[in-house]
Amino acid sequence: MRCTLPVSSRRRILCVFPAYTPSFGTFSHAYPLMGGVKAFMPPQGLLLIAAYMPEAWECRFIDENIKRAGPADFAWADAVFVSGMHIQAPQIRDIYARAHAAGKPTVLGGPSVSGSPEQYPEFDYLHLGEIGDATDRLVEILDRDVAIPPAQVRLETKERLPLSDFPSPAYEAAPLKRYLIGSLQFSSGCPYRCEFCDIPQLYGRQPRLKSPEQMLGELDAIISQPGHPAVVYFVDDNFIGNRKATKDMLPHLVEWQKRNDYPLQFACEATLNMAKQPDILELMRQANFMTVFVGIETPEEDALAGIDKKHNAAVPMYEAIETLNRYGLEVTSGIILGLDTDTDGSEQKLIDFIDKSAVPVLTMNLLQALPKTPLWDRLTREGRLVHDAALESNVLFKRPHDDVVASWRRAIAHAYEAENIFARFKHQVEVTYPNRIRTPIKGKLTRTNLRRGLVLGFNIALQVGLLSDYRRTFWRAAGHALRRGQIEAVFNMGFVAHHLIRFTREALRGEHNASFYAAKADREREKRQPWWQAARRFLPT
């Protein structure tokens, strides 16, 4: 539902989402292969806020991963709304500077400011927490006056809007065809208390839910837009945080897919103990789920206890991955280096895990302490939080910092050496992809999908199969898949490997951080760039 407060003014709200810092998980190097794709995934938060604004107010949404907000956009607006994560802090501040230069009041919400409001003293309004009573107070203030306030105003949500009352995100305001994947939310919150994670503090440990009807309505809105992404990602903090709700929802999703001839594939993130839920896994298979992101963090079982993630060991790790593969789910894994329990042997154990598990995609980062986490509190007590832009993390590791970074470099080099990543994809061809359901051809034979397939196929053949220095390795893996009739696997492995190999080579040259959250180190690196490189990000797109 929209905000129901009566308003007396007509306002124009500019919602601006900041650009991401490149990472393993955003697949930026693969966008040119897609023909028209410019960004990873539409942000649920800002699109939700845009949909919640009073009906008399006009909202404009700009994702700066796609195009930069220009002077005309700021001139149009009465107020500028911004949201983002910690890694986007430099870009968040850049949007603020441009908005204030145009004389517009700025409002910052989302996970970064909610976790660490003291980092943003320049913004006029801080919206802390989820959509709720603070949002209504913001509407009341802006309805009365859109002048820049004399001092910062903090609005903190005390009563959250139930997910069952959420409006459908303003998908119509976003150019969905420019995104690699779509986004959808069914639940919010996670029951676990992993030491490094801020989700329980920000969103609660008792998952809150949308109704299946809400969710299906949002899917209808997504597929009604021409050129929508073929894959939709459930951004839920833990897809099985409430197992009963997930199990009850999935049959509705299966029926929706059947009714619409399976227009979409799905992905989600969950805990590894979902391997103990065969009934849920079978429903996910029937609903055409393809990928699940799992925060494995470390293959060392003893280390899991140290980060309060013992639930990862509820099923032996390799057995759990094999179980997910049997239901057609390709596992993507989050890995953390720099844990207190790491030893000189941890690097080799990680490399052995990469090879034995055959997980194709692993997002490997150094441990970073986030505000509002048990890790942050513990390291504060121990005097082990550091704020040095020359370092790759804000954690004073138990092992020497340079040794941890060197381990990260060797681990990503091994994981994304061409022979190794394509070997893992060949394993998926054998043990995962054959277990997926066959969906009707009718749902795939759309003009958009045909054009997308032709463009992607041509670009993979050219950029990966002809021009890359790992083309022979690619064609061997592609031939392995084609002999088994898995044409889609060829597209997938070419697309994903192209990004991961290129990104890894850049990271090994020192062009990317060893932690996705280490924005300070990234800003420092930008300062050291030649001026013509640093200026590139300010050019219009």
Side-chain angles (χ1 to χ4, degrees):
M1 68 178 191
R2 286 186 176 271
C3 175
T4 57
L5 293 175
V7 293
S8 57
S9 304
R10 298 182 68 87
R11 300 301 187 200
R12 292 181 294 193
I13 306 299
L14 178 63
C15 298
V16 186
F17 189 69
Y20 278 115
T21 297
S23 75
F24 280 108
T26 53
F27 293 96
S28 54
H29 285 304
Y31 300 161
L33 302 180
M34 296 289 290
V37 169
K38 299 291 185 181
F40 181 56
M41 182 169 61
Q44 284 275 308
L46 270 181
L47 293 178
L48 175 64
I49 287 291
Y52 186 73
M53 289 296 99
E55 191 169 1
W57 292 16
E58 187 178 353
C59 290
R60 181 181 294 179
F61 169 76
I62 294 177
D63 185 342
E64 293 208 323
N65 293 282
I66 297 175
K67 74 166 189 174
R68 187 174 172 82
D73 297 304
F74 290 110
W76 169 87
D78 292 315
V80 178
F81 287 12
V82 189
S83 177
M85 299 187 294
H86 293 306
I87 189 62
Q88 294 167 295
Q91 296 91 318
I92 289 172
R93 295 187 183 98
D94 179 61
I95 295 169
Y96 158 81
R98 285 181 280 143
H100 252 228
K104 307 299 179 177
T106 55
V107 181
L108 177 60
S112 182
V113 69
S114 296
S116 188
E118 66 280 359
Q119 290 191 34
Y120 301 99
E122 59 276 300
F123 272 81
D124 303 307
Y125 296 94
L126 300 187
H127 184 293
L128 309 179
E130 294 182 84
I131 190 170
D133 55 347
T135 319
D136 289 344
R137 292 199 301 276
L138 177 63
V139 169
E140 290 176 336
I141 292 170
L142 296 179
D143 185 47
R144 291 194 306 267
D145 189 2
V146 289
I148 294 175
Q152 185 181 80
V153 178
R154 291 193 180 191
L155 305 169
E156 184 169 2
T157 296
K158 302 299 182 184
E159 294 184 15
R160 294 180 292 203
L161 185 72
L163 261 68
S164 56
D165 290 337
F166 273 26
S168 177
Y171 293 119
E172 70 281 357
L176 295 186
K177 66 181 179 181
R178 298 301 182 200
Y179 289 95
L180 176 64
I181 60 177
S183 61
L184 185 75
Q185 182 180 32
F186 172 61
S187 68
S188 178
C190 180
Y192 298 108
R193 285 277 292 173
C194 304
E195 187 187 39
F196 54 85
C197 183
D198 58 1
I199 293 299
Q201 182 67 25
L202 292 177
Y203 306 118
R205 296 186 62 189
Q206 182 64 42
R208 291 164 293 120
L209 308 165
K210 290 181 181 176
S211 69
E213 292 74 22
Q214 275 179 284
M215 190 193 65
L216 300 185
E218 293 180 22
L219 287 173
D220 288 336
I222 290 173
I223 67 171
S224 70
Q225 191 170 137
H228 64 80
V231 179
V232 167
Y233 194 95
F234 278 80
V235 299
D236 301 30
D237 308 309
N238 183 352
F239 189 66
I240 61 163
N242 183 323
R243 298 186 190 111
K244 181 181 185 305
T246 301
K247 185 177 177 181
D248 291 344
M249 175 274 290
L250 282 168
H252 296 272
L253 190 57
V254 172
E255 288 305 310
W256 184 90
Q257 287 274 53
K258 291 178 178 178
R259 189 165 63 248
N260 291 282
D261 295 317
Y262 286 83
L264 297 172
Q265 298 174 351
F266 294 115
C268 67
E269 53 190 90
T271 41
L272 192 59
N273 58 358
M274 73 185 308
K276 297 176 65 177
Q277 308 297 322
D279 46 354
I280 290 178
L281 294 175
E282 177 57 27
L283 286 168
M284 291 175 68
R285 193 177 81 90
Q286 294 298 326
N288 213 26
F289 276 78
M290 300 290 187
T291 306
V292 57
F293 178 90
V294 176
I296 287 175
E297 321 309 357
T298 172
E300 299 182 66
E301 188 170 324
D302 291 345
L304 294 173
I307 56 175
D308 288 335
K309 199 152 188 175
K310 290 184 287 187
H311 49 274
N312 261 14
V315 178
M317 199 166 286
Y318 294 111
E319 180 183 324
I321 293 170
E322 291 170 1
T323 297
L324 299 181
N325 292 162
R326 284 199 301 274
Y327 287 91
L329 289 168
E330 183 177 279
V331 175
T332 297
S333 172
I335 297 292
I336 299 175
L337 291 89
L339 300 173
D340 284 1
T341 51
D342 283 1
T343 66
D344 291 343
S346 295
E347 176 189 328
Q348 187 57 52
K349 291 177 182 177
L350 173 57
I351 288 172
D352 292 343
F353 169 78
I354 292 168
D355 294 340
K356 184 176 178 181
S357 70
V359 170
V361 180
L362 306 100
T363 58
M364 291 180 275
N365 296 291
L366 297 192
L367 180 68
Q368 184 85 3
L370 301 179
K372 294 196 174 181
T373 62
L375 176 64
W376 177 279
D377 296 339
R378 177 171 67 82
L379 294 182
T380 298
R381 293 192 302 271
E382 296 175 5
R384 293 176 55 208
L385 280 180
V386 293
H387 302 284
D388 185 344
L391 300 179
E392 296 280 350
S393 170
N394 65 353
V395 176
L396 183 61
F397 302 123
K398 291 289 185 73
R399 298 178 64 224
H401 176 273
D402 289 350
D403 289 358
V404 177
V405 175
S407 288
W408 173 79
R409 292 171 63 85
R410 288 188 291 266
I412 64 170
H414 177 85
Y416 297 121
E417 194 278 324
E419 289 286 348
N420 293 337
I421 186 172
F422 283 114
R424 299 199 299 276
F425 273 120
K426 287 172 68 175
H427 180 80
Q428 299 302 308
V429 166
E430 295 291 337
V431 306
T432 302
Y433 305 153
N435 298 322
R436 293 171 174 171
I437 62 171
R438 292 184 178 273
T439 58
I441 295 295
K442 181 180 178 181
K444 302 174 184 177
L445 289 180
T446 65
R447 181 178 299 178
T448 296
N449 283 346
L450 290 173
R451 185 192 66 82
R452 187 181 286 150
L454 288 172
V455 171
L456 180 58
F458 173 80
N459 285 328
I460 287 175
L462 177 64
Q463 298 295 330
V464 182
L466 182 62
L467 300 180
S468 75
D469 58 6
Y470 49 87
R471 53 189 175 273
R472 289 186 177 87
T473 307
F474 164 72
W475 284 119
R476 285 196 295 270
H480 183 78
L482 290 172
R483 286 191 294 273
R484 288 154 180 79
Q486 296 184 25
I487 298 174
E488 191 172 345
V490 177
F491 286 73
N492 181 59
M493 68 174 68
F495 173 93
V496 172
H498 177 71
H499 166 74
L500 293 173
I501 292 171
R502 287 193 60 186
F503 187 88
T504 297
R505 291 175 177 179
E506 291 173 353
L508 293 174
R509 293 196 298 265
E511 297 176 22
H512 301 298
N513 289 341
S515 171
F516 180 58
Y517 302 96
K520 286 191 176 181
D522 188 69
R523 290 202 303 276
E524 193 66 24
R525 186 171 294 121
E526 285 181 3
K527 294 177 185 177
R528 296 194 296 268
Q529 286 181 334
W531 69 266
W532 61 87
Q533 291 184 16
R536 286 173 57 195
R537 72 185 186 93
F538 295 103
L539 295 176
T541 57

